[in-house]
Amino acid sequence: HALPGQPLSEEQLGMLSFLRSYTAPMSMRGGGRQVIYVPMEGRDYSLVLRLPEALTPWTLRPLLNALVLYLMPALLSLLFCALLYMLLISPLERLRRQANAMRANPLETLLPADLARRRDEVGELGRSLDYLTRRLRDSIGQQRQLLRDVSHELRTPLSRLRVAAESDLSQRELRERLEHEVDRMQELLDGTLEVAWLDSQPGQLPLEAVDLNALWEVLREDALFESGWAPERIQAELPPGCRVYGHLNGLSQALENVLRNAIRHSPDNGLVQLRAQRDGANWLLCLADQGPGVEEAQLEQIFRPFSRLNSARPGDGGFGLGLAIAERQIRLQGGKIWARNGHPGLQVWFRLSAV
């Protein structure tokens, strides 16, 4: 319907306010049949066209229109919600079940492998919860084992006290027996409390530069006084300038416990020797005796509390806490301690950071 030279109605004039260039995209927002214009080059007027119904956008494609405008956004929304649930809600629900399982005190629910591999906040939360679960389980296990060991060790002195009380010992003998058993129980409780304290220590002890030559001389002098050994039976081969990063009191206690253990299990006229060698950024210390040694399968067991291998290393019947305390003291200083058989004797090795 050509309209040039004719007066336009109000509706037609309104259409001229919403002209769309023939190069512009078409859409349903145009309000049905589109009104476009084509500028005439070199002239001051344009050709205005109203497209026929057949060329109206989407008119002949209702299924495609429904798919693109309604179905696809709905499917994408459902997919996004499913991914959101799988990535966030489901892992949090599993962590919640793990936390609730801990209230029932099995302490066996550990982090699933797929959550452990995640590198986001949910994975970090899961690893933290898993670490707390393991630490709580280990702590409860250590406490139970400690209670069993302490109760077992206390039965012996208490039984001897009961026998002494029911016997016909003189007052002096009864008093000596009482003092001896009380000292033994005091030693047991002190060692047990120290092991429990070291097990509960988080992180690492404060470190400082420690001169091993000076520290060894003090420990050697005390050991000679306590044991009554001749000075030549406790020797050291420490190079000048042998200094390590350690906690002075903790390192002193660890070396002293190992030295006392070596003296206790040494044969008559046996020697105890401390050697040191550099290993990169560390010092390796070896304290060796000439005793009977330990069976290979039990070399790690000697660092456990209340571990006494009397059949392999007969001694004075200690409580088996000295090496356990030494191992914890060295570990809290960032070092490592282990044992080897020296054929003859036992070698206890330390690895500490060099200054």
Side-chain angles (χ1 to χ4, degrees):
H1 304 281
L3 301 178
Q6 299 182 17
L8 302 179
S9 65
E10 293 184 2
E11 179 184 0
Q12 293 169 343
L13 289 174
M15 292 181 182
L16 298 179
S17 302
F18 298 96
L19 295 179
R20 185 183 300 272
S21 173
Y22 74 98
T23 60
M26 302 294 176
S27 71
M28 291 295 293
R29 294 191 299 271
R33 296 167 59 186
Q34 304 292 304
V35 179
I36 65 173
Y37 72 94
V38 181
M40 309 301 292
E41 184 176 357
R43 301 182 183 183
D44 58 353
Y45 58 86
S46 301
L47 175 63
V48 178
L49 302 173
R50 188 181 187 191
L51 296 179
E53 190 72 26
L55 298 182
T56 300
W58 308 106
T59 300
L60 301 181
R61 292 174 288 179
L63 294 179
L64 181 61
N65 184 23
L67 176 64
V68 174
L69 296 181
Y70 303 104
L71 186 58
M72 287 186 62
L75 292 177
L76 290 177
S77 299
L78 291 176
L79 179 61
F80 175 77
C81 292
L83 291 176
L84 187 65
Y85 178 83
M86 292 174 59
L87 293 176
L88 296 178
I89 307 302
S90 179
L92 290 177
E93 175 64 19
R94 294 163 69 181
L95 292 176
R96 185 189 65 82
R97 290 198 299 267
Q98 179 177 354
N100 288 335
M102 293 173 60
R103 296 189 301 179
N105 199 30
L107 296 179
E108 296 295 339
T109 306
L110 300 179
L111 185 67
D114 56 341
L115 283 181
R117 290 191 296 265
R118 293 182 59 144
R119 292 293 179 262
D120 55 4
E121 289 77 4
V122 175
E124 185 66 27
L125 176 62
R127 286 187 291 273
S128 299
L129 183 60
D130 183 63
Y131 171 78
L132 292 177
T133 303
R134 294 176 184 272
R135 186 169 178 83
L136 182 60
R137 183 181 61 185
D138 293 342
S139 178
I140 293 177
Q142 290 172 356
Q143 290 178 5
R144 290 173 177 172
Q145 183 63 41
L146 201 62
L147 287 175
R148 286 193 295 266
D149 293 336
V150 171
S151 62
H152 174 75
E153 296 293 339
L154 283 175
R155 287 193 185 100
T156 301
L158 289 175
S159 298
R160 287 197 292 259
L161 285 177
R162 181 181 297 277
V163 171
E166 296 174 353
S167 63
D168 297 330
L169 295 176
S170 64
Q171 186 175 0
R172 183 182 61 82
E173 292 174 333
L174 183 60
R175 179 176 179 178
E176 290 177 354
R177 170 56 60 181
L178 178 62
E179 290 177 350
H180 175 74
E181 299 301 338
V182 168
D183 290 340
R184 295 276 293 170
M185 287 189 288
Q186 184 68 47
E187 179 185 353
L188 169 64
L189 293 177
D190 291 343
T192 302
L193 291 175
E194 186 162 7
V195 169
W197 179 82
L198 291 173
D199 283 335
S200 65
Q201 281 295 309
Q204 187 171 305
L205 295 173
L207 305 181
E208 59 181 319
V210 179
D211 188 341
L212 285 179
N213 283 282
L215 177 60
W216 176 254
E217 287 302 320
V218 176
L219 298 179
R220 178 175 177 270
E221 182 179 351
D222 292 341
L224 291 174
F225 177 79
E226 292 180 6
S227 63
W229 279 23
E232 60 271 10
R233 294 182 62 187
I234 301 180
Q235 304 174 359
E237 294 180 4
L238 299 177
C242 183
R243 303 171 68 215
V244 299
Y245 283 114
H247 186 265
L248 180 59
N249 292 336
L251 181 56
S252 173
Q253 184 181 28
L255 286 173
E256 185 176 25
N257 286 354
V258 177
L259 178 58
R260 285 178 175 174
N261 188 75
I263 293 174
R264 181 184 305 120
H265 299 102
S266 291
D268 295 338
N269 300 319
L271 300 179
V272 174
Q273 187 179 46
L274 177 67
R275 302 189 304 271
Q277 63 186 54
R278 191 66 181 261
D279 180 28
N282 303 308
W283 277 106
L284 293 180
L285 309 178
C286 176
L287 202 156
D289 60 44
Q290 296 179 339
V294 175
E295 295 182 9
E296 293 293 331
Q298 297 177 325
L299 286 175
E300 295 184 2
Q301 184 180 344
I302 62 176
F303 295 105
R304 299 175 185 172
F306 303 100
S307 221
R308 290 174 293 188
L309 310 178
N310 292 331
S311 60
R313 291 173 65 82
D316 61 358
F319 292 107
L321 294 173
L323 293 181
I325 293 174
E327 188 273 335
R328 285 154 176 77
Q329 287 283 11
I330 296 299
R331 175 161 44 86
L332 288 176
Q333 299 175 51
K336 184 179 179 181
I337 183 173
W338 68 96
R340 296 176 184 170
N341 280 312
H343 307 290
L346 182 72
Q347 298 177 351
V348 179
W349 290 79
F350 302 80
R351 176 184 287 118
L352 296 166
S353 299
V355 176

